[in-house]
Amino acid sequence: MCGPEEAALLRLGEVFSATLARINNLILQPLLSTDPESSDPQDRECLRLLQQLHKSSQQLGEVTEDSLYSLWERQRHPCSFGLESLLLLRSADLVMQVHMEYIESYTSCLVVQAFHKVAKSKRSLTSLCQDRANMAITGGGRFQQASYTLIVCSVPLQRHPAQELVMHAVTIFRNLQSFMGQALDQAVATQALWHTLSSQLRDVLCTPTHRLLQDSQDVPVVVTPLRAERVLLFDDALVLLQGHNVHTFDLKLLWVDPGQDRYTFHLLTPEEEFSFCARDPQSQVVWQWKVTQAVCQALRGKKDFPVLGAGLEPSEPPVCRCGAYTFRAEGRLCQATYEGEWRWGRPHGKGTLKWPDGRNHVGDFFKGLEQGFGIHLVPQASEDKFDCYKCHWQEGSMCGYGICEYGTDEVYKGYFHEGLRHGFGVLDSAPQAPQPFKYTGHWEKGQRSGYGVQEDSDRGERYIGMWRADQRHGPGVVVTQAGVCYQGTFQADKMVGPGILLSEDDSLYEGTFTRDLFRTYSGSGKGLYTQGVLDTAALPPDPSNICKRQLGLGAFPVESRWQGVYSPFWHFVIANCPGDLQEALLGFHVQSSRELRKSQEYLCCERSHPKDSAGNVEDILEELLQHREPKALQQYLRKALSNSLHPLGKLLRTLMLTFQATYAGVGANKHLQFLAQEEVKHHARELWAAYRGLLQVALQRKGQALEDDLENEEEETRDLQVHGLMLPLVLPSFYSELFTLYLLLHEREDGLYSQGITHLSLFPDTKLLEFLDVQKHLWPLKDLKLTTNQRYSLVRDKCFLSATECLQKIMTTVNPREKLEVLEKTYGEIETTVTRVLGQEHKLPMDDLLPLLVYVVSRARIQHLGAEIHLIRDMMDPVHIGGLYDFLLTALESCYEHIQKEDMRLRPLPGHWDSRELW
């Protein structure tokens, strides 16, 4: 650069830089010397704007001087300073940004007439400041235009290393020129607008950020149904004037819906819907286009180039947006502030609702209403106490599964409908409550209704039975901590009509109860006292009749007890297993409120889902189809039932919860054993049906024809699958509580058996074999390895050792089939030992087997063998009835009964034995 054009450009830049310096030193600084402590808010705002203008003009001056310096260096050393070194090229975006900030500062001062308001006592500076600032904009534009023109002319037509930088800079300059012109035009139009408004409206609307884009006085338009007298479109708001009333609508939350004709289009806001009707199609196009583009710019947060560029294709604002809004209309959302995602003027997606009284809701919304998972906090009167609802919602109310932790420290986990507890649920009182309780059962419209279990910790009793309208009503069983049980009918929470009272010693009384039964227990051992009317005229039943002493039989059919647990699962299956309803119907697991409060995560509606594929419905159904062969199916079901994310696993955990609530703790009563036993079997049947329901959905999704056995499975086939496959898989989940009931029911028999075992353990091996009348040729004396100081008559626990150790394994498994397999292996070990002793294969007849089996049982010393035998018998697969397993179990039962006999427990040791030999 060394020609007259370059010299003229440098002179132009120097003039522009000098102009900026004079604006700062001679005009802005005197204006800024105005008293900063003015009490007038408008004066303080104007002073702030002038300070911003002063700062931006200084920045513009610095950038201009840097540009001049780079141009000067380029002129002096054209060979060593390439085009890339020019500030106008290498930092074109920075130059544009500085110019824009200056233009914004100047137009903001112009809009609110800051020069006039601040310089009231210095009127000579007012017009001078405004003119000089305008000159700076014009001068800056000329300087930039000349600079880029000269640069473009200096770049050869052929490929040049700086060509891309030059083209980018030219584009920016053109945009800046357009922005500059329109920004000034808008500022002037906005300044002129204030003179047409009353002082009251001017005070409301006159802000530095407002830029008038369109006025209905210029292009008339009619607004319905609001009947606005005047419509003003600013770059950040739409304003409707009705007398002295001002209706302001944030453009970020304004949706434009094209009308059906050429004269009308519709606008939607969070609380209003109205239409713009123009006199002619051209006016309608102007208004609709300008409103649409203004919404787009407001959403982007910056002005486009050009601001409202005529000739460009109009962009469409997104339907889904994010924003905040405070509702003003009366209703449940009055004064609530919503922040989050929107769609067509309604909260839609994820967001947060906050009320002035401290309530807030964080979660999913659909068409303006809470829908899907959400966390709702309701503050209580006391400090730092609130109700926390972590639930699924539908159309604005709780519906589906939820966990509610109340300010009273009560916790409810269960299902809702229309905002009320409905279906299955568990309500647990605070541990420190005056009358602590826990209810596990069914609800209807917010009240306990249907089958349910409630434990009263204060009174030490548990009620199992029917409810209606939050009261015990219908057949029910009361079990007390002292072992006393009552079964009868309840009406309005009172015992009425005939009933049965069972005491701890199995005494049974039948009578008529006419009022509530109050119990007190004597500390002197005198027993139970009752207050009320008790008719004991009927003869007491036969004490040996165990069934008579099993409560609940026939009172609550097992099929109807826990329908509320299974119903959501079947709704899920019938709906074709939709993934978005899995949590609402099958439940979820989240942190406790206390943990959530510590980390403030209660304001986040996301639950963390493990990456385990079992949590995805599609993966579940796909995997299910791949494991239909018997062996693969067993592995799949075992995995599914143990996974808390799998629908079958979730269902099983809920059933475990109901089982523990009924039969653990106070409910561990022998008179409930049959009730629990049939419940476990029923759960196995229902879980098998649940698996088949999922399989049916999986086949339907693949478009495969349903197999006949899926729709019409024969009862015999179903029973084989339930007992042979499903029951062994689910039994471990209920085993602890169930086996405890068997222990209590057969406690007396096991006590006699234990005495017999203790007595028989005193015998050495040979004496015991002789005592049990085992034929001597079957004695495995070859297995006895004696030292020089030992005799056969003193050896203990050596004969049939392999069979004894094998039988002891019956306690290591809870699977009835595996227990029977242990028994079969024990029988095999006995025969193997006998075969070795005889030197030939030998099948033991029952007369020889029973004494040997009694010997092995006595040496195995299995605790609670009676409970084990009865549980195996009750849970055994029916396919084994009449087979080998049935035969061996019957033999074991005979041994158990034989050991209980009085002569086995009390028969003295042979008189010729020396007692020292026993030790």
Side-chain angles (χ1 to χ4, degrees), residues 206-252:
C206 185
T207 64
T209 58
H210 275 342
R211 300 291 186 274
L212 182 65
L213 304 180
Q214 190 62 55
D215 188 345
S216 62
Q217 287 189 349
D218 300 329
V219 180
V221 68
V222 177
V223 182
T224 57
L226 297 181
R227 299 294 180 185
E229 299 171 0
R230 190 174 181 180
V231 182
L232 301 174
L233 176 62
F234 294 98
D235 61 347
D236 58 351
L238 178 68
V239 177
L240 306 182
L241 302 180
Q242 290 178 312
H244 295 293
N245 295 324
V246 180
H247 300 278
T248 303
F249 302 97
D250 185 358
L251 292 183
K252 293 180 181 179

Side-chain angles (χ1 to χ4, degrees), residues 526-545:
K526 294 183 179 179
L528 172 70
Y529 293 86
T530 62
Q531 180 181 0
V533 178
L534 178 64
D535 185 0
T536 58
L539 293 174
D542 184 358
S544 63
N545 188 349

Side-chain angles (χ1 to χ4, degrees), residues 205 226 299 308 344 487 491 502 510 601 620 693 722 775 785 836:
L205 297 176
L226 297 181
L299 290 173
L308 293 172
W344 287 115
Q487 176 177 329
Q491 187 172 356
L502 275 169
E510 291 181 292
E601 290 178 5
I620 290 171
V722 169
Q775 298 185 38
K785 297 180 180 181
R836 187 176 66 253

Side-chain angles (χ1 to χ4, degrees), residues 595-645:
E595 292 298 322
L596 289 173
R597 292 171 199 170
K598 290 179 183 177
S599 60
Q600 296 296 308
E601 290 178 5
Y602 65 89
L603 294 178
C604 178
C605 62
E606 294 282 357
R607 274 88 59 239
S608 57
H609 293 287
K611 296 181 180 180
D612 192 338
S613 61
N616 183 288
V617 175
E618 295 295 335
D619 294 338
I620 290 171
L621 298 178
E622 184 65 31
E623 188 179 6
L624 187 146
L625 290 174
Q626 298 171 2
H627 298 80
R628 298 181 61 187
E629 296 300 321
K631 188 174 182 180
L633 176 58
Q634 184 182 36
Q635 295 176 350
Y636 173 80
L637 289 176
R638 179 178 289 108
K639 178 182 175 182
L641 292 169
S642 62
N643 193 321
S644 61
L645 298 177

Side-chain angles (χ1 to χ4, degrees), residues 133-179:
N134 198 7
M135 285 175 58
I137 293 177
T138 306
R142 290 175 180 173
F143 173 65
Q144 300 296 333
Q145 182 178 12
S147 299
Y148 287 118
T149 301
L150 184 60
I151 292 171
V152 170
C153 293
S154 66
V155 177
L157 294 177
Q158 63 271 21
R159 185 73 177 174
H160 190 279
Q163 188 173 7
E164 291 186 4
L165 287 175
V166 171
M167 299 310 297
H168 175 67
V170 169
T171 302
I172 287 179
F173 166 71
R174 289 173 180 170
N175 289 335
L176 182 60
Q177 288 290 92
S178 177
F179 172 79

Side-chain angles (χ1 to χ4, degrees), residues 504-546:
E504 189 177 9
D505 62 358
D506 280 349
S507 298
L508 184 146
Y509 301 92
E510 291 181 292
T512 301
F513 295 83
T514 58
R515 53 182 297 193
D516 195 11
L517 183 66
F518 295 91
R519 309 169 200 46
T520 57
Y521 303 98
S522 169
S524 60
K526 294 183 179 179
L528 172 70
Y529 293 86
T530 62
Q531 180 181 0
V533 178
L534 178 64
D535 185 0
T536 58
L539 293 174
D542 184 358
S544 63
N545 188 349
I546 296 180

